[in-house]
Amino acid sequence: MLEEVERWLSRRSWSVADRPLHQLIAAKRASGRTVSVVLPALNEEGTVGEIVSVIRRELMTEAAPLVDEIVVVDSGSTDRTSEVAAAAGARVEHRDAILPRVPARPGKGEVLWRSLLVTSGDIVCFVDADLKEFSADFVSGIIGPLLTDPGVDFVKAMYDRPLAGAAGQGGRVTELMARPILNLHWPQLAGFVQPLGGEYAARRSLLEQLPFPVGYGVELGLLVDALHTVGLDALAQVDVGVRIHRHQDGQALGRMAAAIYRTAQLRLARGHLVRPVLTQFERGEDGFEPRTYAVDTEERPPMTEISEYAERRVA
């Protein structure tokens, strides 16, 4: 491993236990920083309410005022996601109602990008809405370094991801696609345990400078662009334990991998994507039948280039 990465691991990898809650509350009061938590959600009525409830109960009280706002951005749910989230105490925003002059694209990155327009925190924390057995450590752990260390701008959660009871087997796209790409092309990022994890926090001043891939490539894209924007020493990771969530089937993982590869390709060469589609196969009555899916090929510009965002900040 690169000596630089080894040094980074010793300096910028922590456990959630390294920063007790009372220390974070004191640091937040001293700094005057505000914190927004964003949950991108699509048909997550079974889990989103408990996540919101835990955050409000443990991190948004008079005794523990760590989080200032929690916003669920619904990207077109057909179930009761919005109702459940609102009942639990979140402010619910709908993807298509945010920046309506720009037609929305399907994809997680699209929702995260638009969330910058409807949140106000100096620190923005993203949490996936499908987590089970959720712990408030997922939030306090990753915002901790941003509150206590002015040299840190971007923090990812690291955790074990069990699959069917087997420890460490849940990050299949990470191990088969993202980690090899990062080690080969951005070896400075080889120390990240969960580069594709959906739980991470960053200073708004950084996020608003970065382009957002609209789809599954958003986590890799933000990580690579953050490295180039602020440098490795401004990036960090915190161990928050175990992440339990809904797992995708193999074909969905294939589509995720294609989007991630495409995101890396653009950052390597900003070149022409020869064939921005992925063909997969499913067995039908007459044998294997092809199914072709478009690979996300669009990115949203840095939020600082959006006039509505600039006007909102002036106001």
Side-chain angles (χ1 to χ4, degrees):
M1 183 176 287
L2 291 172
E3 290 185 8
E4 182 181 12
V5 175
E6 291 181 346
R7 289 194 299 270
W8 177 83
L9 280 169
S10 66
R11 296 188 64 250
R12 291 301 195 219
S13 293
W14 296 290
S15 165
V16 66
D18 292 334
R19 292 177 175 82
L21 186 58
H22 67 85
Q23 179 184 343
L24 300 185
I25 294 170
K28 182 174 185 289
R29 285 173 175 157
S31 69
R33 301 289 184 186
T34 54
V35 176
S36 299
V37 174
V38 173
L39 277 69
L42 176 64
N43 295 329
E44 302 294 355
E45 66 176 4
T47 50
V48 68
E50 177 64 14
I51 296 172
V52 172
S53 295
V54 169
I55 294 171
R56 289 193 61 86
R57 183 171 64 246
E58 299 188 25
L59 302 178
M60 297 183 73
T61 65
E62 185 175 345
L66 198 63
V67 172
D68 297 283
E69 65 176 350
I70 180 168
V71 179
V72 171
V73 184
D74 192 324
S75 58
S77 297
T78 56
D79 66 0
R80 298 183 61 253
T81 291
S82 290
E83 292 85 348
V84 170
R91 172 159 56 88
V92 177
E93 301 282 351
H94 294 274
R95 178 197 62 195
D96 296 353
I98 304 170
L99 197 64
R101 74 170 176 85
V102 179
R105 297 289 302 270
K108 179 182 180 182
E110 179 83 358
V111 174
L112 300 184
W113 181 72
R114 289 174 188 261
S115 76
L116 297 181
L117 276 161
V118 293
T119 54
S120 59
D122 302 305
I123 294 169
V124 182
C125 174
F126 298 124
V127 176
D128 281 350
D130 67 342
L131 301 189
K132 303 174 183 178
E133 301 178 26
F134 178 77
S135 166
D137 289 347
F138 275 76
V139 174
S140 60
I142 57 178
I143 67 176
L146 296 164
L147 291 171
T148 60
D149 191 331
V152 174
D153 291 323
F154 187 98
V155 183
K156 296 216 61 144
M158 56 177 167
Y159 34 68
D160 187 46
R161 296 178 65 183
L163 176 64
Q169 298 301 307
R172 291 165 288 173
V173 176
T174 293
E175 301 303 331
L176 296 175
M177 176 61 72
R179 199 177 308 285
I181 286 176
L182 292 175
N183 274 264
L184 291 170
H185 298 294
W186 294 282
Q188 287 179 299
L189 298 175
F192 276 93
V193 175
Q194 296 291 354
L196 300 185
E199 290 67 50
Y200 48 102
R203 301 191 192 279
R204 177 178 294 271
S205 56
L206 171 60
L207 291 173
E208 65 188 11
Q209 297 180 60
L210 304 180
F212 278 61
V214 299
Y216 287 125
V218 64
E219 272 81 29
L220 184 134
L222 290 178
L223 185 60
V224 169
D225 291 342
L227 172 68
H228 290 302
T229 303
V230 295
L232 180 61
D233 199 53
L235 313 183
Q237 60 185 349
V238 175
D239 187 349
V240 297
V242 179
R243 184 186 200 266
I244 300 175
H245 63 109
R246 183 186 67 254
H247 290 283
Q248 304 276 5
D249 63 37
Q251 294 209 335
L253 296 179
R255 296 190 289 275
M256 292 174 63
I260 289 162
Y261 177 76
R262 173 263 169 194
T263 300
Q265 181 195 46
L266 286 182
R267 278 151 182 77
L268 285 168
R270 298 290 172 181
H272 175 62
L273 188 60
V274 177
R275 184 174 182 266
V277 296
L278 174 71
T279 299
Q280 297 176 319
F281 294 87
E282 297 178 8
R283 184 181 289 279
E285 294 181 359
D286 299 320
F288 286 103
E289 300 174 355
R291 299 284 188 272
T292 299
Y293 301 88
V295 174
D296 297 317
T297 57
E298 186 170 343
E299 297 194 1
R300 295 305 190 188
M303 191 56 77
T304 52
E305 298 179 10
I306 301 299
S307 60
E308 287 89 340
Y309 186 74
E311 292 166 2
R312 170 180 168 275
R313 299 204 70 181
V314 170

